[in-house]
Amino acid sequence: DMENMQVISNPADFAAGEKGFTAIHNQIKRGDIIGIQGVPGLSNTGEFSIIATSIVLLSACFHMLPDNHYGFSNVEQRFRQRYLDFIVNRDNIKTFQGRSKIIRYIRNFFDGLDFTEVETPMLNLVAGGAAARPFITHHNDLNQRMFLRIAPELYLKQLVVGGMDRVYELGRQFRNEGIDLTHNPEFTSIEAYWAYKDYNDIMTMTEDLLHGLAMYLHGSDKVRWCPKDVSGKEIGEPVIFNFQRPFKRLYIIPELEKRLNVTFPEEFESDAANKWLLDLCAKNKVECNPPTTTPRLVDALIAEYLEVECTQPTFICDHPRVMSPLAKWHRTDPRLTERFEMFLNKKELCNAYTELNNPLVQRNEFEKQIKNKDAGDDEAMEQDETFLTALEYGLPPTGGWGLGIDRLVMFMTSMNNIKEVLLFPAMKPEGQPDVVK
């Protein structure tokens, strides 16, 4: 499969003689799928070939294929007609074979740790488990508004409550947000939950997974990343990702205090803390898209001062509680949570935390999210009573973790556009003008 082989076709070798040879060659053209019977042999240059004794047309191509000289280099058209992209640019198939290997490795990694792979609903009554804008649909028989899931987290933690101590789900998520080089509204992620572990254990697990994956794919913990343009020329200077363990760690509040020469407030919940952060961002010309809630302001500071340093695998750790409504409070600093995000090439790849397992505190955190939503933050979480009831039965101490498969494939296969690692990415209908917002 997918191998190139030269075919030598001469009238003298044809079983049907010169007449049959002429008839079939008048019938077939470039792009047709043909069947060949013949014998192996060598060409005049010594290339292994099949010497045809019979040729039959199996499937006709009704379009002119791009020629070998100009190829099929229109990027947008390649994404719209992936089948034609593969016909003309055979090497592009290797990207998706690599994607398949990455997914297979990740599944094997968790299976080897005795995790159970599960499936949870795609249609949800509450858009929970992440801070994101959902797609909304309607169930006719139930006469019920529903949401395409933005994350499987709340269902998976209910399974841990029930005694499934190690579960993971690899599948599609849907977020009604922007499209750019690293975002697609429909994307693939994996989430895993491990009872009786905390975020320190999950950091170690993440290091083991990514180090092992690099070794599996490239035979080294050093991975060269250098995307190419449509002509095959490398874009910019290559970056060497170093997956040697342990990865770098940046602790948010101490690092921001050091860079900004300030001392952060003793709490982040009050209006006074929000104003302090607003003034800090204004003073340092850090932009924050409205609404300027405290979580958004802190996130803007992290993006401005910490994420830009994360070309190599880096854990950004210990987010303030206001940013992490599902994470457990930090054991040594009650302002913070036991959470980390792992960045690579300045992009978020993983999000993980020690799970909040106190149902009373969780209810209070959801109520704060509702206030943020009322303030205009349409990505704030909604309250999920089904999940809160499950927590009341007892969630053991648990480490939770999520990773974006599509971005990981980008970095492991040297791509700089998420559409290059999605077979059929989201595209604007042909001829439709850009929407002016």
Side-chain angles (χ1 to χ4, degrees):
D1 290 348
M2 293 182 55
E3 296 293 334
N4 292 323
M5 178 176 287
Q6 178 171 270
V7 177
I8 299 174
S9 181
N10 290 312
D13 300 315
F14 234 62
E18 186 171 344
K19 186 176 181 180
F21 173 89
T22 302
I24 190 62
H25 281 276
N26 285 338
Q27 185 181 5
I28 61 176
K29 61 187 181 305
R30 189 167 180 265
D32 289 346
I33 298 173
I34 59 175
I36 299 164
Q37 286 184 322
V39 295
L42 297 177
S43 68
N44 291 335
T45 60
E47 181 177 352
F48 181 74
S49 309
I50 182 168
I51 301 169
T53 58
S54 173
I55 298 176
V56 60
L57 177 64
L58 299 177
S59 183
C61 177
F62 288 88
H63 294 269
M64 291 289 291
L65 296 181
D67 62 37
N68 291 328
H69 178 71
Y70 292 102
F72 187 41
S73 58
N74 184 302
V75 175
E76 183 170 309
Q77 208 60 35
R78 286 201 300 107
F79 300 147
R80 293 184 187 279
Q81 295 179 277
R82 185 64 82 182
Y83 52 89
L84 186 55
D85 177 33
F86 286 172
I87 290 172
V88 178
N89 304 309
R90 301 295 289 173
D91 281 349
N92 289 351
I93 296 176
K94 294 178 182 177
T95 299
F96 295 94
Q97 292 175 321
R99 179 189 176 101
S100 180
K101 289 177 67 176
I102 289 169
I103 291 173
R104 189 182 312 119
Y105 179 89
I106 291 172
R107 278 198 164 102
N108 289 339
F109 177 86
F110 282 100
D111 292 344
L113 291 173
D114 203 27
F115 276 71
T116 300
E117 183 174 9
V118 298
E119 295 175 300
T120 60
M122 292 276 192
L123 289 174
N124 296 169
L125 292 173
V126 176
R133 187 184 301 119
F135 286 95
I136 302 172
T137 187
H138 185 83
H139 193 298
N140 291 334
D141 197 45
L142 298 177
N143 192 26
Q144 174 70 52
R145 184 176 76 158
M146 302 191 81
F147 305 93
L148 293 181
R149 74 175 181 193
I150 57 176
E153 175 171 344
L154 303 187
Y155 282 111
L156 294 174
K157 286 195 280 195
Q158 290 178 53
L159 297 178
V160 180
V161 169
M164 297 184 71
D165 289 344
R166 305 182 192 193
V167 294
Y168 76 91
E169 181 169 12
L170 197 156
R172 293 290 213 191
Q173 320 305 329
F174 306 87
R175 299 184 182 179
N176 197 357
E177 298 170 350
I179 300 174
D180 59 28
L181 291 177
T182 59
H183 291 87
N184 193 70
E186 178 182 1
F187 63 98
T188 302
S189 72
I190 178 172
E191 292 199 15
Y193 293 83
W194 197 346
Y196 308 104
K197 299 291 183 180
D198 65 13
Y199 81 141
N200 292 305
D201 300 311
I202 302 301
M203 278 193 224
T204 301
M205 182 199 78
T206 305
E207 291 171 334
D208 291 343
L209 170 67
L210 295 179
H211 176 268
L213 178 61
M215 296 296 296
Y216 171 69
L217 293 175
H218 301 284
S220 169
D221 55 15
K222 312 293 191 299
V223 176
R224 187 178 188 273
W225 184 81
C226 192
K228 299 177 181 179
D229 61 21
V230 294
S231 68
K233 183 179 179 182
E234 292 186 344
I235 303 170
E237 292 296 319
V239 177
I240 306 299
F241 299 136
N242 185 352
F243 289 99
Q244 184 176 354
R245 298 162 291 184
F247 298 168
K248 182 180 177 182
R249 286 155 170 75
L250 295 175
Y251 294 91
I252 292 171
I253 299 303
E255 294 292 340
L256 289 178
E257 288 180 337
K258 182 168 62 177
R259 287 160 176 73
L260 294 165
N261 195 28
V262 297
T263 300
F264 273 73
E266 289 301 313
E267 51 79 34
F268 291 92
E269 306 282 351
S270 66
D271 292 340
N274 181 263
K275 184 179 185 307
W276 186 89
L277 287 164
L278 268 171
D279 293 342
L280 181 65
C281 288
K283 176 183 176 182
N284 292 279
K285 297 181 173 56
V286 176
E287 293 186 7
C288 177
N289 294 327
T292 52
T293 58
T294 298
R296 284 177 172 264
L297 291 167
V298 178
D299 192 51
L301 290 168
I302 294 170
E304 181 74 19
Y305 291 101
L306 303 185
E307 292 178 13
V308 293
E309 298 180 10
C310 299
T311 299
Q312 296 299 324
T314 305
F315 294 121
I316 294 181
C317 308
D318 296 356
H319 298 63
R321 278 166 35 195
V322 292
M323 301 180 69
S324 313
L326 296 169
K328 197 165 192 172
W329 296 359
H330 201 282
R331 65 195 74 182
T332 61
D333 189 338
R335 298 177 301 169
L336 311 178
T337 57
E338 296 191 349
R339 176 186 173 191
F340 71 82
E341 293 176 295
M342 201 218 86
F343 280 74
L344 179 64
N345 206 27
K346 306 176 186 178
K347 299 295 180 182
E348 180 192 344
L349 194 60
C350 299
N351 184 32
Y353 31 85
T354 307
E355 299 295 336
L356 177 56
N357 60 349
N358 184 322
L360 302 179
V361 174
Q362 184 64 82
R363 181 177 293 277
N364 187 44
E365 293 297 321
F366 277 149
E367 289 170 354
K368 293 174 186 176
Q369 288 289 301
I370 292 172
K371 290 180 182 178
N372 287 339
K373 187 175 283 288
D374 292 341
D377 187 353
D378 57 2
E379 294 185 354
M381 295 183 192
E382 296 184 17
Q383 187 160 304
D384 190 326
E385 289 294 339
T386 300
F387 173 65
L388 288 170
T389 300
L391 278 189
E392 292 171 359
Y393 285 85
L395 174 68
T398 300
W401 173 90
L403 175 144
I405 296 292
D406 306 319
R407 286 187 185 175
L408 178 61
V409 175
M410 287 174 60
F411 298 141
M412 288 294 183
T413 60
S414 210
M415 296 295 172
N416 66 348
N417 188 340
I418 196 170
K419 290 184 172 69
E420 295 285 5
V421 301
L422 300 173
L423 285 168
F424 301 101
M427 302 288 291
K428 181 180 64 178
E430 285 192 89
Q432 177 176 305
D434 292 334
V435 177
V436 178
K437 297 185 179 180

